[in-house]
Amino acid sequence: AALALRDAAVAELLYSSGLRVAELVGLDAQASSTARGWVDCDAALVHVLGKGGKRRTVPVGAQALAALRLWLSVRDLTLPSTAQAQAALFTGLHGTRLSAQAIWQRLRQHARSAGLDTPVHPHMLRHSFASHLLQSSGDIRAVQELLGHAHISTTQIYTQLDFQHLAQAYDAAHPRARRPAGQRAPMRK
């Protein structure tokens, strides 16, 4: 039961805040001068050390906060009392910091259990975070900041993916999107 709560908190935080898996595994349960990152549940913010040693702060959604609080309520009760277990936010059965590989395996396992044909991985949740924000806000600079991208060109990948989705919707639904070869749309007089 504790592992299910942990896994739910991991997935919710990855999607809610668009974290890289390396950023997620580096999170500590408490803020400290040595922490690579931590979650401030009261402020609904996650502080991470991203690529290039750059720190950034990202909002955490209500569902992710609820999942984190559930995990934190059982985390210390189910783990050995080692120094590393006390520091790491997400730990395994033996109290060691959860690895990126373990997160990949757990997400894949949960996807299979749910009957999904597509292998799910942590970066897929980051992509979903970015795409959903971009679709709803249209603010590519804000998405760039939230993802911790140094260059806007990296973030622009999501606009291309979004345009592909729009093109597919157009092709599927617009009456003049696709015509058989040689057939022209009727002319209006």
Side-chain angles (χ1 to χ4, degrees):
L3 292 182
L5 293 176
R6 181 202 63 198
D7 292 350
V10 163
E12 288 289 346
L13 190 56
L14 284 170
Y15 173 67
S16 173
S17 300
L19 301 181
R20 296 174 179 99
V21 70
E23 294 167 344
L24 182 107
V25 299
L27 294 175
D28 283 352
Q30 301 290 324
S32 73
S33 60
T34 60
R36 291 183 9 219
W38 65 91
V39 178
D40 181 343
C41 288
D42 294 331
L45 296 170
V46 60
H47 305 272
V48 295
L49 183 62
K51 279 188 174 179
K54 293 183 181 178
R55 287 219 175 259
R56 76 178 190 286
T57 301
V58 184
V60 179
Q63 286 184 289
L65 282 174
L68 277 168
R69 285 187 172 114
L70 284 172
W71 162 240
L72 288 170
S73 72
V74 299
R75 176 186 164 274
D76 292 337
L77 302 173
T78 60
L79 300 172
S81 59
T82 65
Q84 192 172 14
Q86 291 173 6
L89 176 59
F90 296 112
T91 55
L93 289 173
H94 303 292
T96 57
R97 187 176 293 274
L98 206 56
S99 69
Q101 183 179 6
I103 291 174
W104 276 73
Q105 289 171 346
R106 297 294 291 183
L107 284 175
R108 190 172 297 132
Q109 180 182 19
H110 286 297
R112 272 194 297 247
S113 296
L116 297 176
D117 293 332
T118 305
V120 175
H121 52 83
H123 206 74
M124 194 178 264
L125 297 173
R126 182 171 161 85
H127 273 278
S128 296
F129 164 85
S131 296
H132 293 158
L133 274 180
L134 195 54
Q135 286 171 4
S136 62
S137 74
D139 189 342
I140 193 166
R141 290 281 180 197
V143 174
Q144 176 190 5
E145 288 295 319
L146 291 170
L147 290 173
H149 288 160
H151 304 286
I152 194 74
S153 60
T154 307
T155 313
Q156 286 174 328
I157 292 166
Y158 298 104
T159 62
Q160 292 165 355
L161 294 174
D162 194 38
F163 180 77
Q164 288 173 354
H165 172 72
L166 292 174
Q168 288 171 349
Y170 174 84
D171 287 344
H174 195 281
R176 295 187 181 179
R178 295 201 175 181
R179 299 258 176 230
Q183 184 181 356
R184 296 188 331 180
M187 302 244 331
R188 292 193 166 213
K189 294 185 180 184

